[in-house]
């Protein structure tokens, strides 16, 4: 019998294991990283690092508008110790954290096709975000 735990609890436990062992594998839950990570089908191997950079998919405790949580999202920007995260499927919500609040980065994605390294943000996702920004700009321009 499999025990069910929330994504928040799973990510918290994974963070503890990363501190203790340096490597951990966890299943994916939630769709904020689609199509890169598929919930209930993919797993990821996380590794501890000293520094994380733009493009890394990381497990981090971060703040978002209205609260705080643990996220498995991509680093979209860094400024020294400050980091901004965003799920690949998200159009607007971003999370903020410090390098020290990142538990580890995805070193491998494990699926039914085998194991592979994570790829950079797909071009179609970059285009989708750009179109979303243009649409919002057009709305603001029509107001003034």
């Amino acid at each position: 019998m499999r025990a069910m735990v929330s994504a928040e609890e799973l990510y918290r436990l994974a963070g503890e294991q990363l501190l203790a062992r340096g490597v951990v594998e966890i299943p994916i839950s939630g769709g904020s990283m689609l199509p890169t990570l598929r919930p209930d089908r993919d797993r990821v191997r996380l590794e501890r690092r000293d520094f994380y950079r733009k493009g890394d998919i990381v497990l981090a405790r971060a703040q978002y508008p209205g609260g705080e949580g643990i996220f498995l999202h991509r680093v979209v920007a860094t400024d020294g110790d400050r980091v901004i995260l965003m799920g690949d499927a998200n159009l607007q919500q971003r999370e903020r954290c410090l390098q020290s609040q990142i538990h580890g980065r995805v070193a491998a994605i494990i699926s039914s096709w085998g194991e592979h390294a994570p790829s950079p943000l797909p071009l179609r996702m970059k285009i989708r975000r750009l179109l979303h920004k243009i649409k919002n700009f057009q709305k603001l321009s029509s107001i003034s």
Side-chain angles (χ1 to χ4, degrees):
M1 183 169 163
R2 293 172 63 174
M4 298 297 291
V5 297
S6 69
E8 176 85 11
E9 180 68 5
L10 175 67
Y11 291 166
R12 185 189 66 73
L13 293 169
E16 289 176 5
Q17 286 298 306
L18 278 165
L19 283 173
R21 296 178 33 216
V23 176
V24 69
E25 279 186 21
I26 61 170
I28 299 302
S29 65
S32 64
M33 283 299 293
L34 283 167
T36 307
L37 302 175
R38 296 165 304 157
D40 302 322
R41 289 173 59 185
D42 293 342
R43 294 186 334 254
V44 293
R45 180 176 305 116
L46 297 161
E47 293 179 341
R48 189 102 176 107
R49 295 276 190 226
D50 292 329
F51 189 79
Y52 303 93
R53 61 180 185 210
K54 185 176 178 179
D56 285 345
I57 300 171
V58 299
L59 179 66
R61 176 160 295 283
Q63 291 74 43
Y64 63 95
E68 179 180 274
I70 298 179
F71 299 91
L72 186 66
H73 282 174
R74 191 179 299 273
V75 174
V76 295
T78 62
D79 181 14
D81 195 38
R82 295 181 298 191
V83 179
I84 299 176
L85 308 174
M86 188 175 198
D88 286 359
N90 294 353
L91 292 175
Q92 291 184 323
Q93 181 173 312
R94 294 174 182 221
E95 301 84 31
R96 300 180 189 297
C97 68
L98 300 174
Q99 288 277 345
S100 61
Q101 293 174 297
I102 298 176
H103 299 296
R105 76 170 183 90
V106 173
I109 299 171
I110 304 155
S111 69
S112 58
W113 303 324
E115 187 175 310
H116 59 88
S119 60
L121 183 64
L123 179 60
R124 68 180 174 273
M125 299 304 292
K126 291 179 183 178
I127 292 170
R128 185 173 157 206
R129 287 183 182 167
L130 178 62
L131 291 174
H132 184 76
K133 287 179 183 179
I134 291 170
K135 183 178 176 183
N136 284 341
F137 178 75
Q138 288 172 338
K139 283 182 188 177
L140 290 174
S141 297
S142 66
I143 294 172
S144 21

